Amino acid sequence: MSCEEEVAAGTGPERAGTTFGQQMLLLFPLVLGMLGMQAAAGVLGTGIPLQMALSAVSPETIGLVASAYAAGFAAGCLISPALIGRFGYRKALACFVMLQAAATVCLALLPFEGWIALRAVMGACGAGAVVITEGWVNTAAPAEVRGRIFGTVNMLGRMAMVAGQAVAAFPWALGTLAFAGPAVLYAIALAFMVPSVHGHPVTAATRGAGLSRSLSFLETPAVAAVGVIYVGAVGTTLISVAPAWGVLVGMSSAAAAMLTVSVQIGSFVFQGPLLWLSDRMDRRLVILFAAIVTAICALVLLAIPSGHQAPLFLIYALIGGVSLPVYALSFATAFDHGGAVANFRLSSGLLFNWALGAVIGPTVATAAIARYGPEGLLHFLVLTSAAVALLLAGLIRRAGHPNAPSK
């Protein structure tokens, strides 16, 4: 039975009438595997640069290793739909995760220069795994609870990644354990995910698709595409650049690091209410609201005198609280229209757009800081959020009808 037939018959992944709790219970093994992959990615994301820095590797090589992962991730977003269509989602998922585990082990065997190719492979496989798992979660979630389900999964994944990053900071987690631990997590994640999914979501939209079909990410709903590019640019900048901004404005290193923690805490607090709201109104308006609030908060930061640190943490928490959930809101908006037929091509297109924003955002923000000083980061946040808000308002007005989830 095809995915379309299963959905029509009520036996496929999309089960109308199920509650949020029931749907999360059905997805629990898949989500558990996703959390294992996120924790492994967190350990490696922090452990790899730490290992290289402690071994006196040149900054250029460290940068190449980091860029290789991002480049591989973007490439994986493009080629994964074709691989899924050719081999099927189960085989493709197994290959992606097993290659990640194998490449992780090889990190302990090859010199640092070899890590560039390994991280590119891991980025491509990571993108493919995310395309499949997030595509399945969105397909399985009925429209009336899709925002909350995807947002909850996204929030849990972020918590798992932060936990992995924290583990990598301990001295005992360096060395061989830094590679063996994530490899084991990938293997365990695969054991949970592959048997847990039911049905067959590979359809005519992905079957036999080539690279030209994969490039159909340009067909991604406009508001969703803008949203994921925006959160890729702003979210990545908040996580990677905000601590440096804190040091530049005179904060201690510990206090500057807490800015990132404030962003994450704000996201945890506000994501649930925003996604709950998006399940009851036009999701596009919630994304527009998030961009406007982010621009206003950045303007407030510009007006705060130096030396007043307490308001900084609160405002950064609010910025993170409204901007980071745009990722889940954009995916839910796209899948309101994408349906089951194009779920994997849709996921790959959205992830590619997010990766595009994640590459551009920190680059532009740090260039602004270099030219204008610490205020350059805030100018970046204001101008980017204001421009996105204006673009979204135009898109919503042009569409002329609500993008609320269908009932």
Side-chain angles (χ1 to χ4, degrees):
M1 182 181 289
S2 68
C3 183
E4 297 94 332
E5 291 169 339
E6 287 175 339
V7 172
T11 60
E14 188 165 335
R15 297 171 174 85
T18 55
T19 65
F20 170 78
Q22 290 172 329
Q23 198 65 43
M24 284 300 299
L25 187 61
L26 290 171
L27 291 170
F28 178 75
L30 176 64
V31 172
L32 195 60
M34 294 171 68
L35 297 185
M37 290 198 304
Q38 292 280 13
V43 174
L44 292 170
T46 300
I48 285 177
L50 277 177
Q51 294 269 32
M52 300 179 77
L54 291 173
S55 301
V57 177
S58 68
E60 291 81 6
T61 302
I62 296 176
L64 283 174
V65 171
S67 298
Y69 185 87
F73 192 95
C77 293
L78 295 179
I79 65 175
S80 56
L83 295 176
I84 294 166
R86 182 175 180 84
F87 301 109
Y89 79 102
R90 288 178 183 270
K91 291 179 181 178
L93 178 61
C95 288
F96 289 143
V97 180
M98 285 191 294
L99 281 173
Q100 283 183 292
T104 301
V105 173
C106 289
L107 289 171
L109 305 177
L110 295 182
F112 293 121
E113 290 75 15
W115 290 15
I116 298 173
L118 290 174
R119 287 300 279 170
V121 170
M122 295 178 73
C125 292
V130 171
V131 165
I132 292 174
T133 54
E134 290 191 350
W136 188 272
V137 168
N138 273 291
T139 301
E144 59 268 20
V145 294
R146 181 174 292 135
R148 280 172 287 168
I149 286 176
F150 188 78
T152 300
V153 172
N154 181 254
M155 182 175 63
L156 292 173
R158 194 180 302 123
M159 293 173 66
M161 179 170 286
V162 170
Q165 292 170 335
V167 168
F170 290 99
W172 53 263
L174 298 176
T176 304
L177 187 59
F179 308 121
V184 171
L185 284 173
Y186 282 126
I188 294 174
L190 182 62
F192 274 103
M193 290 188 296
V194 171
S196 67
V197 292
H198 307 286
H200 200 293
V202 177
T203 69
T206 54
R207 189 180 297 118
L211 181 58
S212 61
R213 294 292 299 275
S214 298
L215 290 174
S216 62
F217 67 84
L218 294 174
E219 301 170 7
T220 301
V223 171
V226 171
V228 290
I229 292 173
Y230 171 68
V231 74
V234 170
T236 306
T237 299
L238 287 172
I239 300 301
S240 60
V241 180
W245 176 87
V247 173
L248 290 174
V249 297
M251 302 176 72
S252 66
S253 58
M258 287 299 296
L259 290 174
T260 300
V261 175
S262 298
V263 169
Q264 297 286 10
I265 291 175
S267 174
F268 294 148
V269 171
F270 285 95
Q271 180 161 279
L274 286 176
L275 291 165
W276 178 87
L277 186 63
S278 78
D279 284 334
R280 286 158 175 78
M281 63 178 292
D282 188 344
R283 298 192 209 277
R284 301 174 303 172
L285 296 179
V286 182
I287 299 173
L288 175 61
F289 168 79
I292 293 173
V293 173
T294 300
I296 293 173
C297 289
L299 282 173
V300 172
L301 285 174
L302 281 169
I304 294 178
S306 59
H308 294 71
Q309 294 189 5
L312 298 181
F313 297 114
L314 293 175
I315 296 174
Y316 266 95
L318 183 56
I319 291 176
V322 295
S323 62
L324 295 189
V326 170
Y327 180 83
L329 288 167
S330 299
F331 264 74
T333 298
F335 276 84
D336 286 339
H337 290 276
V341 174
N343 57 347
F344 294 109
R345 284 196 293 130
L346 190 57
S347 279
S348 65
L350 290 168
L351 286 168
F352 181 88
N353 288 330
W354 175 88
L356 182 64
V359 171
I360 295 174
T363 303
V364 175
T366 51
I369 292 174
R371 183 175 180 84
Y372 301 107
E375 293 80 9
L377 172 62
L378 306 181
H379 293 154
F380 165 79
L381 292 175
V382 171
L383 294 176
T384 301
S385 299
V388 167
L390 289 173
L391 179 57
L392 289 174
L395 291 172
I396 294 171
R397 183 177 181 180
R398 181 180 179 183
H401 59 81
N403 192 28
S406 59
K407 302 294 182 184

